[in-house]
Amino acid sequence: MRYDVTITPLPTMALFDLKGRAEALRDWAGAALPPFPDRPNSACGDGQGILMWLGPEHWILRADLDREQALEATLRPAEAPPDLSIVRVSDTLAFFRITGPEADAILAIACPLDLHPTRFGPDGASFTRAFGVSALVAQYTEGFDLAVARSYAPMLTRALAEAAG
């Protein structure tokens, strides 16, 4: 069966793995961070970037790659206080955008997440497994973004193409 989807590899993005209490991160980073999501497994953006709440005191900041150096200078990972961890991870994940009227069907093949809109809303973001490897899934206006460790990108490319038919 062929699904009506488009699968597009995305360019490298600025990514920062943040760990610590939201208040402490907000105090440390100031205006460099978008608003914090109000519930786990969701994302919030402000046009400058997206902040995803992925676990207890675990966040990922995602922004355009051209903002990476400015974010690094503002977030100052090497100077972060002991109760915070800020690590640039831009080169570790490869992202794919899955769009089209049957994007949810492809994600249902790829991963075990319940992606029904009542469970994984338009701002959903979560770690899961996709085709057997650790993956990040984020809802996108017209579909989903799926990210895996960069070394798994060729495997994910093949698996998504096969799933799409």
Side-chain angles (χ1 to χ4, degrees), residues 36-43 51-59 119-121 123-127:
F36 279 75
D38 59 3
R39 68 184 189 292
N41 296 315
S42 66
L51 190 60
M52 296 175 271
W53 185 1
L54 301 170
E57 299 187 357
H58 185 192
W59 319 84
R119 299 303 229 161
F120 197 80
D123 60 350
S126 184
F127 278 117

Side-chain angles (χ1 to χ4, degrees), residues 134-154:
S134 181
L136 173 62
V137 174
Q139 184 86 301
Y140 176 70
T141 309
E142 300 157 12
F144 300 90
D145 285 353
L146 180 63
V148 296
R150 191 164 296 284
S151 61
Y152 288 114

Side-chain angles (χ1 to χ4, degrees), residues 53-106:
W53 185 1
L54 301 170
E57 299 187 357
H58 185 192
W59 319 84
I60 288 187
L61 172 62
R62 177 177 163 181
D64 289 335
L65 189 59
D66 62 358
R67 295 201 55 234
E68 184 179 59
Q69 292 304 318
L71 285 167
E72 178 94 17
T74 303
L75 295 173
R76 307 177 320 277
E79 300 167 29
D83 61 330
L84 299 179
S85 171
I86 301 172
V87 179
R88 181 174 42 156
V89 294
S90 306
D91 59 345
T92 65
L93 294 177
F95 280 81
F96 295 82
R97 181 155 290 158
I98 304 162
T99 58
E102 295 178 305
D104 58 341
I106 297 301

